[in-house]
């Protein structure tokens, strides 16, 4: 299904439309998905990825993966959630996923607009992390995210938010 959703975004990009994919994963090692992400980037699909662990894709390579941004966030909490986002803001689709028995991943669409907004906010906060996030460069090296904005540790932000919602 991920490959089919990426194919849809590739078609939109090739038609001159805005195309987007966002992923929050623990690792990225599947060659078929990596090849499809490269194809999507080459077609002009903008891709944001939060990959906590192993990542076998190098972003930012001119002509290949220049439309892909990858960050890793490793903090005090071990996260297993997966978020998949496809499409521009007018036709955006959200999925959440989790591994089951024998590490088979099961994904479910999220239709509720309130939950979609929550997922988008969470994803945006992770992308804005400037304390624990490291970005992956075109040479395969990770670097601290440096910016002038107020400090944001996404894990601590979510922890505090969950604690206050109790």
């Amino acid at each position: 299904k991920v490959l089919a959703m990426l194919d849809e975004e590739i078609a939109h990009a090739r038609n001159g439309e805005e195309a987007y994919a966002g992923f929050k994963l623990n690792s990225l090692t599947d060659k078929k998905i990596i090849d499809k992400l490269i194809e999507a980037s080459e077609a002009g699909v903008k891709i944001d990825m939060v990959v906590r662990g192993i990542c076998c894709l190098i972003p930012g390579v001119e002509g290949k993966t220049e439309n892909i941004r990858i960050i890793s966030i490793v903090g005090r909490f071990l996260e297993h959630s997966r978020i998949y986002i496809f499409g521009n803001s007018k036709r955006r689709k959200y999925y959440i996923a989790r591994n089951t028995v024998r590490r088979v991943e099961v994904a479910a669409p999220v239709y509720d607009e309130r939950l979609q907004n929550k997922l988008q906010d969470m994803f945006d906060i992770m992308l804005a992390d400037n304390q624990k996030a490291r970005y992956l460069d075109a040479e395969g090296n990770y670097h601290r995210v440096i910016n002038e904005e107020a400090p944001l540790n996404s894990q601590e932000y979510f922890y505090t938010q969950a604690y206050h919602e109790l």
Side-chain angles (χ1 to χ4, degrees):
K1 187 74 175 173
V2 169
L3 298 175
M5 299 298 285
L6 284 169
D7 279 335
E8 283 184 37
E9 292 309 303
I10 290 167
H12 286 290
R14 289 185 177 150
N15 286 332
E17 301 169 40
E18 180 185 343
Y20 178 80
F23 301 91
K24 193 266 182 207
L25 312 161
N26 275 1
S27 63
L28 178 62
T29 59
D30 186 287
K31 179 150 176 36
K32 287 181 183 177
I33 292 176
I34 291 168
D35 289 343
K36 187 60 70 176
L37 288 165
I38 293 168
E39 181 184 347
S41 175
E42 290 172 334
V45 178
K46 299 293 183 201
I47 302 167
D48 288 319
M49 303 185 79
V50 178
V51 183
R52 184 181 196 281
I54 298 169
C55 183
C56 295
L57 174 65
I58 302 294
V61 176
E62 191 173 332
K64 290 288 182 188
T65 59
E66 63 193 27
N67 289 309
I68 301 175
R69 174 175 63 150
I70 298 174
I71 65 167
S72 175
I73 300 172
V74 179
R76 84 185 238 209
F77 301 107
L78 179 59
E79 300 177 50
H80 293 287
S81 61
R82 279 117 170 117
I83 301 171
Y84 301 101
I85 304 168
F86 298 97
N88 66 17
S89 58
K90 295 176 186 168
R91 56 179 177 73
R92 193 151 281 179
K93 297 175 187 172
Y94 295 85
Y95 295 84
I96 54 173
R98 181 79 179 158
N99 279 345
T100 60
V101 177
R102 294 194 178 115
R103 303 200 52 85
V104 172
E105 189 160 315
V106 175
V110 177
Y111 297 117
D112 183 278
E113 189 175 334
R114 185 182 59 83
L115 294 176
Q116 290 176 346
N117 291 336
K118 182 106 172 150
L119 286 172
Q120 188 64 56
D121 287 345
M122 292 173 73
F123 192 68
D124 291 343
I125 289 166
M126 285 183 268
L127 290 175
D129 188 307
N130 58 16
Q131 297 299 293
K132 294 296 183 180
R134 304 293 185 264
Y135 72 90
L136 184 57
D137 70 16
E139 304 297 318
N141 299 306
Y142 285 94
H143 305 274
R144 285 187 86 118
V145 174
I146 299 172
N147 63 37
E148 308 277 325
E149 297 176 25
L152 175 61
N153 177 327
S154 60
Q155 287 192 345
E156 293 299 328
Y157 174 89
F158 296 135
Y159 174 81
T160 301
Q161 187 180 42
Y163 181 78
H164 289 297
E165 287 179 3
L166 292 177

